[in-house]
Amino acid sequence: IMLRMLFSKKLWQPWPHQRRAVQIRHRVLLIGHSGSGKSETVRSLALSLPHRKVVAFDFQDGLLPLLESAGETPPNLELIRVEEGDIETSWLGLKEACTRVRTESGEGDWVCFDMADIVWEMAQRFYVWRKYGMELADYLLEAVTGKDKKVGFGGLTPDDWTLGIRPQYYCTIPRMLGAGCRANVVVTTGLKNVASWMKDGQEVFQEH
């Protein structure tokens, strides 16, 4: 696993007499191949910090089998399973959960997103379903094979991305990374998703 701080931009540095009272938030990105132990890190985090709340968003049921096989679920770990079946129910449920966790989490707590690259795809699926009434895969197939081919901007318009999909996405992980959240954040992803995720993350950091 490659472990690094998610953003390189320096945090505000307090005066010496203020340092004891300042809580520095950690925003960590875990990158690795499947089976490299990214999900296990979430469980280990909860075990090593028994007096802190750890909330984990599980998008591929990777954490639940791990906890069941270990035979022990840390009492301070809250597991939020995100189903990908009905996209509208799943997406609205995810946004609601993110809002609740962001509000309830305090300094020293941890919020973890396991395989977070799925969230960006979910945002696209939800928007396309709401606007065009189609599954994303069906819409994209129609976009590239239909009479009026739409090959630019991934088959969508610039407004679709900037006014539709991105604001939806920003209600989830980016809002957790922003200044309004007091908890530390851990995000895991596969190697192939790093470039695009980091680009979006840096834009979010600059906005906050």
Side-chain angles (χ1 to χ4, degrees), residues 4 11 58-59 80 92 94 110 128 134 143 145 153 159 171 185 191 193 199:
R4 55 166 293 178
L11 297 174
D58 187 11
F59 296 94
I80 299 177
L92 295 178
L94 173 60
W110 287 82
V128 169
M134 302 174 66
T145 62
F153 300 99
D159 284 348
C171 291
V185 180
L191 289 172
N193 304 300
K199 179 179 181 296

Side-chain angles (χ1 to χ4, degrees), residues 49-62:
L49 299 171
H51 302 298
R52 298 296 186 185
K53 181 179 180 181
V54 178
V55 180
F57 288 83
D58 187 11
F59 296 94
Q60 287 188 325
D61 278 338

Side-chain angles (χ1 to χ4, degrees), residues 102-205:
R102 181 172 177 267
T103 302
E104 296 177 354
S105 299
E107 294 181 353
D109 293 336
W110 287 82
V111 179
C112 309
F113 291 89
D114 194 35
M115 298 308 295
D117 47 280
I118 294 175
V119 181
W120 178 241
E121 181 180 343
M122 288 181 66
Q124 297 175 61
R125 287 185 60 204
F126 173 75
Y127 176 79
V128 169
W129 176 260
R130 271 292 182 90
K131 183 173 181 179
Y132 300 103
M134 302 174 66
E135 277 286 350
L136 178 62
D138 296 332
Y139 174 83
L140 294 178
L141 179 63
E142 178 69 21
V144 298
T145 62
K147 181 179 179 181
D148 299 321
K149 292 185 179 180
K150 305 174 184 178
V151 295
F153 300 99
L156 296 164
T157 69
D159 284 348
D160 285 333
W161 290 107
T162 58
L163 302 179
I165 296 172
R166 181 160 293 187
Q168 287 293 322
Y169 175 64
Y170 277 15
C171 291
T172 58
I173 298 176
R175 184 163 291 177
M176 290 290 189
L177 295 172
C181 180
R182 295 178 295 169
N184 305 297
V185 180
V186 174
V187 174
T188 77
T189 187
L191 289 172
K192 66 179 181 180
N193 304 300
V194 172
S196 61
W197 206 97
M198 283 294 290
K199 179 179 181 296
D200 287 332
Q202 287 175 353
E203 290 177 2
V204 172
F205 185 87

Side-chain angles (χ1 to χ4, degrees), residues 25-82:
R25 290 181 63 213
H26 300 290
R27 284 165 283 186
V28 180
L29 175 64
L30 292 177
I31 308 167
H33 293 291
S34 177
S36 61
K38 301 186 298 298
S39 298
E40 172 62 30
T41 302
V42 176
R43 175 176 172 272
S44 299
L45 183 64
L47 288 172
S48 62
L49 299 171
H51 302 298
R52 298 296 186 185
K53 181 179 180 181
V54 178
V55 180
F57 288 83
D58 187 11
F59 296 94
Q60 287 188 325
D61 278 338
L63 287 172
L64 184 61
L66 187 151
L67 294 172
E68 291 176 344
S69 63
E72 177 187 8
T73 299
N76 59 325
L77 174 61
E78 177 187 355
L79 182 64
I80 299 177
R81 298 175 63 191
V82 181

